[in-house]
Each structure stands twice: as C-alpha cells, then as structure tokens.
Amino acid sequence: MKKRIIAAVAVFGLLGGILYFAYAQTAAQNNVKHFTAFFVVEGESIDQNNDIKKEIARLTGADCEELWLVGQSKESALNSYIVSGEYPDFISGDTSLYEAGALLPLDEYWENYPNIKNYLTEEQWERFRRPDGHIYWIPQFGVTHGEDVEVTHSGEAFWIQTRVLKWAGYPEIHTVDEYFDLIERYVAANPVMEDGTPNIPFTILCDDWRYFCLENIPQFLDGYPNDGSCIVDPDTLQVYDYNTTDTAKWYFKKLNEEYHKDILGAEVFTETYEDYLAKLSTGAVCGMPDQWWQFYYSIQNAYDEQGLREQGCDYVPLPITREEGIANQWHVTRSAEMDSSTGLSITVSCNDIDGALQFVSDLLEPEIIKLRFWGKEGDDYCVDENGLFYLTEEQEKRWMTSEEKRKHFCFYSYFPRVEGRLSDGINAFSLEYQTTEFYKNQPEDIQECFSAYGVTNYVDMIGNNEAPGAWYPMYSYTTSLSANSPAGQVRDRMDAVKHKWLPQVIMAEDFETAWEQYMKAYDSCNPEIYYQMLQLEVEKRVKG
C-alpha cells in the first residue's frame, strides 16, 4: 500500500497527494452523503451493501443510487421529470432538459474542482457550450489522458457468431454479399441449435431511437466513419446525405431480397428492445448490425447460464463494405468519438451542489478510478514484480459471475471516467482494456477465432482509424439540435419518414415502386434545410 501511495504522490504532486488522502480519512469519520442519478439507458442495479460502493463512500464521504430506464422510452421518462419539475441530483443531460431549465451551469462552479475543469481542454469544452454560453454536462466516455488503449470495438458493425465462421473454415468476409451468403449457407446446413432451437439467420434492432441499426448502414458501406447524420468528404469538406446515395438504395434492396428469402423476419419491425435482447439471449441469432454496448453486456448472464459460449455463440465484428477494395472505417479511435450532445448533469433539484461536484471530482481521482474498474488489490487483482495488474484463476471467476458483480463491484459506469492508462503508465484504466488480460480472459470460441485470423482483439479484427477531421463526429451536433429549431424539425420529420417507410421498402413485393414512394416522402421533408445546417457546422468546426 505504501508503494502505491508514494507512486500517486510522485505523479500528482506531494501536496495534492497529501490533501487527497487527508480528505479520504476525514470523509471516513463523517456521515456519508447520499445522491441519486437517473440515466436514460437500461442498466442493472447493484446490491445496496455492495463492497466497492461502500469503500468508495468511505474514501469520498458520498455514494449514489443509480436509477435506470425501465419499460419507457427515454423521451417519456425525461418528459415525466420535466412535467413534475422534480429531478434526481444527477441526470443524463441533453437539449430537452436544458431548454426546460432543469440543469445547473457547471462552469459557474468548477473553479474549486480542477479534476472536472481539467477533464477536457478548453478547446474540447467549447463544444459543450449551450446557446447561453454555459456548460451543462460532462462527457462520461471517450476522454483519454495519455496513451489510448483499445481492445474492444464498442461501436457499430456487422456482427457474426464464431460458430458460423468456424463452420466455414474462418473465411475472409469483406462484403455484404459475402456476409449474407455465409449466413444463408450456414443456416441451410444447420437449421437448429444443439437443443433443437431454430437458428435465426439475421435480425435488426429497429425500436424507437435505436433504429439507427437499420438506417445508417449505407455510410459505412461506402467506407465512411460514423458521423451518424451525414457523410463528410474529408478532401472537399462537402456534406452528403447517405439516405439517398446509390449505396443506400442498393443496401435496402439487398435487405428486401433477404426478407423474401426468410433470412430477415418481419417481426424485427415491431419488436421492442427487450424483445431483441431476449432473442439474442437464446444464442440463436447468427448475425446482426449493432453497436457493441447496446447488446453485449445485456446478454452475458444468459450466455453464462445456458453454456452458449461453448456452442460458439459469441459475436465478432467483420470489416464489411459494399464491395471489395473499399477501406472500412467502422472503428475510429475512441478518444475521437466524444459525444458533446449529452453527458452527466447536476439538476436544479440538487440540494448540495458542492457535495455533488465533489463526488464527481473524487470519482476522477486515480485511486478511485482504480477501485471502480479494478477493485481491491489482492482481492480482485494482483500486481507482478513489474507493476502489471493480472488476475488469478479464482479472481477471474469472480469477475465472470454476475452475482459477484452485483454484490462486490461498483463501476459507477455512467459517471465520468479517465480512460487510457492509469497514472502508473503501465496498466489500462480498466480490466476490460488490459491487453495482457483481455485475450487470456476471452471465451475459448473467441480465442480460437482470433487465432484463426491472426489477431488478438476486436479492434484488430475490424481495423483501426484515426479521426477523419476536426468536424468528427457530426452526430454530436445533430442530436443536440433543438426540436424547436428549423433544422431540428426537419430532422424529426425525416426520422418519422424513415421509421414509416424503410420497413415497407424492405417488405415490398415491388421494391422499385416502394423506393420511389419513399424518396418522394423523404424529399417532402425539405432535407436540404437540415444539410445546409450540417454544412455550416462542419465549416465552423474545421475553422476551430
């Protein structure tokens, strides 16, 4: 313990180290402050007497009850708060809450909390300023201090199960046609799983705001990264609409063909997010387009309980484009994808603003980051003679057990965190990103798959790219547009048209006629108003 304290002091300065640990000791002697937080995503609650949560409370003098989205859309959940005028202490801040006057301007308070103020550079913080000139939320993810460490692909991709690739001898799959051809052949030869459950060739998540899994694929197929709302030519800085490209029409015609082959079922257009996760949890779905974070963590318990990994049901991403020769950009360095449209906010209902800010600041302390994402030394991880963190077999089992996670680990996962390497310069901020532990702790089917393709992680599987330019990513602008602005109104009309028409286009007997009707309805939204605003934003960001 002495060595770790000395290391922390050496890095962060003698005075800072003394003050922090003095504060921790004082907090332990006082009553713990309790805060509440609501996040607009599904999440799993931890036990009230969670070990690490209690330890963090002992060191910081505060804890937080995390509330998650359950059985509601995020819009309806936030609207309920807005109507009542009563909020938790922390919330997932966004434009709707800002316009409702529900959030506190953090930049008016952060002078006393350098961990928060220095979390981003001044240039980065500028992206978070609202029209009134203040900053109301803090990004929780993608903020790296020092060397970036990436082994997982958390973004969007065409995913496929390892059993499908193994059956085919681990072929190179680079195009949409190759992807569907493999899945079709696999299901024809293997119509059911080991227990007789019918295999599901392909599915798509289309529920509510998550329908991006359906509509935004054309940008990737043409070799562009996830700007989310448009394509930006990196040479000319010209903004293009990916909804109307030749590739868009080609892709949805391909889905139309797969639908009529019974590779894609009509139920996907009416399934809820919970239905989708339940389907994936059976292990029967061979492939789908999705973002890793949206499915992976939610299906792990079912996979453990049903032995689905032993059957090769884990997913890996493939570098898919429209045709051979197009370089894919599915994965862009995580630190480049910071989303300025949302983040952690403190609400006007918080009765202890200084206490709330101090709690966030403390959660960014190196020793607390280590507790959140590694646990306790000796209990949850070990340290070798070179300072490298590793797990014993017994510790590995603890990390893999869902009950242990609820009772013991406390990630405060939707509070801000410093990614990259820890202050020691050796270890990744989280076990999940520790290169030496990552491969070792992968299921056997994933290890075998990685080995077959000559890679050691998910990023290598799909390829890595730097940010294409200063504008990236544009979705951080479009999702923050007010619904009351002209561009925001056009965006919402376009979304409504896509929600209505893309299922009809995919299921149509006459694709060409359905596509023409879809394009006519889309054009009636006046999308040029929206894309003119995107063009101006690109130029603004590039100019700095």
Side-chain angles (χ1 to χ4, degrees):
M1 182 65 176
K2 284 185 179 179
K3 290 182 179 179
R4 288 191 294 143
I5 293 176
I6 291 170
V9 170
V11 174
F12 295 99
L14 179 60
L15 180 59
I18 292 172
L19 288 176
Y20 175 68
F21 286 103
Y23 169 78
Q25 290 174 353
T26 301
Q29 299 168 4
N30 297 330
N31 293 329
V32 172
K33 295 181 178 180
H34 299 286
F35 296 101
T36 56
F38 173 69
F39 302 111
V40 290
V41 293
E42 288 77 5
E44 189 170 343
S45 298
I46 62 176
D47 289 358
Q48 186 174 357
N49 292 316
N50 179 281
D51 298 333
I52 301 298
K53 184 175 183 178
K54 288 168 66 176
E55 178 65 8
I56 292 174
R58 186 185 72 80
L59 291 171
T60 67
D63 66 14
C64 184
E65 179 187 0
E66 298 168 291
L67 308 172
W68 307 93
L69 198 64
V70 178
Q72 282 181 294
S73 68
K74 65 178 182 181
E75 289 80 10
S76 62
L78 293 181
N79 285 338
S80 296
Y81 281 119
I82 292 171
V83 169
S84 71
E86 295 294 329
Y87 304 91
D89 299 299
F90 298 102
I91 201 165
S92 298
D94 69 2
T95 300
S96 66
L97 290 166
Y98 162 72
E99 292 180 338
L103 311 178
L104 292 174
L106 301 176
D107 54 320
E108 288 191 351
Y109 301 91
W110 68 17
E111 288 299 332
N112 296 324
Y113 306 97
N115 279 355
I116 298 176
K117 185 178 181 180
N118 299 331
Y119 184 54
L120 300 181
T121 65
E122 289 186 14
E123 181 182 357
Q124 289 172 322
W125 276 125
E126 285 304 311
R127 288 196 179 187
F128 289 80
R129 291 199 184 277
R130 297 297 94 196
D132 67 359
H134 289 295
I135 294 168
Y136 289 86
W137 49 78
I138 309 168
Q140 301 112 310
F141 313 107
V143 178
T144 301
H145 294 180
E147 183 184 356
D148 209 353
V149 182
E150 290 189 282
V151 289
T152 59
H153 172 63
S154 61
E156 202 161 351
F158 275 101
W159 300 87
I160 196 165
Q161 290 182 322
T162 60
R163 61 179 174 140
V164 180
L165 295 171
K166 182 176 182 178
W167 173 83
Y170 298 106
E172 293 291 333
I173 304 295
H174 295 147
T175 70
V176 174
D177 286 333
E178 291 171 344
Y179 178 80
F180 279 110
D181 176 68
L182 173 57
I183 288 176
E184 289 174 28
R185 289 188 291 111
Y186 177 82
V187 175
N190 304 273
V192 298
M193 299 178 68
E194 291 179 3
D195 64 356
T197 300
N199 277 317
I200 300 170
F202 182 75
T203 194
I204 305 176
L205 174 58
C206 303
D207 185 28
D208 196 39
W209 60 274
R210 303 176 192 274
Y211 88 115
F212 61 76
C213 299
L214 172 66
E215 63 87 25
N216 73 8
I217 298 298
Q219 64 183 333
F220 297 108
L221 298 185
D222 276 333
Y224 292 95
N226 187 23
D227 266 306
S229 52
C230 63
I231 287 172
V232 181
D233 186 307
D235 298 319
T236 66
L237 302 183
Q238 181 65 45
V239 168
Y240 294 100
D241 182 356
Y242 63 70
N243 298 287
T244 59
T245 62
D246 290 342
T247 295
K249 181 178 180 181
W250 177 87
Y251 175 64
F252 291 110
K253 186 175 183 180
K254 181 68 177 179
L255 291 186
N256 176 276
E257 294 170 357
E258 297 303 322
Y259 170 77
H260 288 290
K261 293 178 184 177
D262 292 327
I263 298 301
L264 173 65
E267 76 283 349
V268 303
F269 302 120
T270 56
E271 284 180 333
T272 65
Y273 179 48
E274 290 72 22
D275 294 333
Y276 170 77
L277 293 179
K279 182 190 290 187
L280 293 188
S281 295
T282 66
V285 178
C286 297
M288 73 287 180
D290 200 352
Q291 296 205 14
W292 162 275
W293 60 267
Q294 190 158 240
F295 72 89
Y296 177 78
Y297 301 103
S298 298
I299 67 175
Q300 293 312 293
N301 289 347
Y303 268 49
D304 291 336
E305 293 165 1
Q306 300 173 53
L308 294 173
R309 291 191 173 82
E310 288 77 4
Q311 299 180 45
C313 294
D314 286 301
Y315 294 98
V316 293
L318 294 176
I320 300 292
T321 54
R322 176 175 175 175
E323 57 191 38
E324 199 73 49
I326 298 176
N328 88 87
Q329 292 191 73
W330 289 94
H331 185 89
V332 173
T333 301
R334 182 169 168 80
S335 58
E337 289 204 334
M338 185 167 54
D339 185 0
S340 59
S341 67
T342 186
L344 181 77
S345 295
I346 298 175
T347 75
V348 294
S349 294
C350 180
N351 294 320
D352 185 359
I353 300 169
D354 287 327
L357 286 165
Q358 186 65 61
F359 182 59
V360 175
S361 177
D362 289 339
L363 290 181
L364 292 171
E365 285 287 343
E367 287 298 311
I368 303 300
I369 290 284
K370 200 182 300 182
L371 262 180
R372 288 168 65 187
F373 298 105
W374 279 97
K376 296 181 180 180
E377 182 181 340
D379 292 340
D380 305 312
Y381 68 95
C382 297
V383 184
D384 71 12
E385 64 276 9
N386 298 312
L388 190 68
F389 296 176
Y390 69 95
L391 305 188
T392 64
E393 287 187 17
E394 184 177 341
Q395 289 165 343
E396 287 172 13
K397 292 177 182 177
R398 172 176 243 182
W399 279 93
M400 293 296 289
T401 305
S402 56
E403 183 180 353
E404 279 294 312
K405 286 184 178 180
R406 286 193 297 270
K407 291 194 316 183
H408 184 69
F409 295 104
C410 177
F411 305 110
Y412 281 127
S413 54
Y414 270 74
F415 279 85
R417 63 196 195 182
V418 178
E419 300 183 4
R421 294 204 184 276
L422 292 172
S423 56
D424 59 20
I426 300 172
N427 297 287
F429 81 97
S430 167
L431 169 64
E432 187 177 9
Y433 290 81
Q434 186 86 330
T435 304
T436 51
E437 287 297 307
F438 176 79
Y439 184 85
K440 184 181 78 173
N441 290 297
Q442 290 304 301
E444 187 175 336
D445 64 321
I446 292 289
Q447 288 186 356
E448 184 177 330
C449 181
F450 283 169
S451 178
Y453 287 103
V455 302
T456 59
N457 59 60
Y458 290 91
V459 175
D460 290 345
M461 190 86 186
I462 200 169
N464 196 9
N465 299 275
E466 296 299 319
W471 71 84
Y472 185 81
M474 282 299 291
Y475 64 73
S476 66
Y477 170 72
T478 54
T479 53
S480 66
L481 277 173
S482 171
N484 298 317
S485 67
Q489 291 172 352
V490 172
R491 174 202 60 197
D492 293 344
R493 289 199 298 268
M494 289 162 50
D495 285 347
V497 166
K498 287 190 280 187
H499 270 290
K500 174 183 176 181
W501 275 98
L502 286 179
Q504 295 184 48
V505 164
I506 292 169
M507 295 187 291
E509 293 294 335
D510 182 351
F511 174 83
E512 292 295 335
T513 298
W515 184 262
E516 289 178 10
Q517 292 172 334
Y518 165 45
M519 286 291 98
K520 184 177 179 180
Y522 183 82
D523 289 341
S524 71
C525 298
N526 299 315
E528 65 277 2
I529 295 174
Y530 178 67
Y531 287 98
Q532 286 168 4
M533 291 300 296
L534 299 193
Q535 186 69 60
L536 291 174
E537 180 65 16
V538 167
E539 293 166 4
K540 174 185 173 184
R541 290 186 175 189
V542 170
K543 289 177 182 177

